[in-house]
Amino acid sequence: MSEPATQPDINTTLRDMAETRIRSGAAQASGNHSLGIDALNLLHRLSCNPDTASDALQLLHELQVHQVEIDLQHEAIREHEHQLIDELAHYRDLFENAPAGYLLVDLEGHIV
């Protein structure tokens, strides 16, 4: 029940980090994404009209922030994946080199 309450905090933190990276120029282009033709057409159409040019800039900024948020999430996932791989190797090493014998038992009680 407490998890939905913490979700906005995570999203707010992630957005703040993305905004900071964009403002400081530290946002790296991952090169794995591009704007679709529909999005580019919309941006072009909005930017050509003086009445909607500010909307186009706001939309472009939102797209940039969203992409940086995705890149930050991807970095966090890769980092966690490496941590899990290291932990798995550590516990496998402990299991295989234990001074006492271990048996693996399945749900039916058979030794694996």
Side-chain angles (χ1 to χ4, degrees), residues 2-70:
S2 64
E3 190 170 331
T6 60
Q7 193 67 16
D9 295 334
I10 292 169
N11 291 336
T12 302
T13 303
L14 190 61
R15 181 168 180 90
D16 291 342
M17 289 173 58
E19 291 273 359
T20 302
R21 281 194 180 190
I22 288 173
R23 267 189 250 110
S24 68
Q28 299 175 351
S30 63
N32 297 331
H33 57 276
S34 64
L35 289 176
I37 191 71
D38 293 335
L40 289 173
N41 285 335
L42 175 63
L43 283 172
H44 183 309
R45 209 170 40 246
L46 289 173
S47 63
C48 288
N49 184 349
D51 296 332
T52 58
S54 63
D55 293 338
L57 289 174
Q58 182 64 29
L59 180 60
L60 181 59
H61 176 74
E62 289 300 317
L63 287 170
Q64 290 173 329
V65 169
H66 185 65
Q67 185 60 52
V68 173
E69 288 174 352
I70 290 172

Side-chain angles (χ1 to χ4, degrees), residues 68-86:
V68 173
E69 288 174 352
I70 290 172
D71 291 343
L72 288 169
Q73 289 174 340
H74 186 68
E75 288 175 17
I77 288 171
R78 279 188 302 195
E79 185 177 311
H80 286 102
E81 180 183 23
H82 290 295
Q83 289 174 352
L84 289 173
I85 289 170
D86 292 343

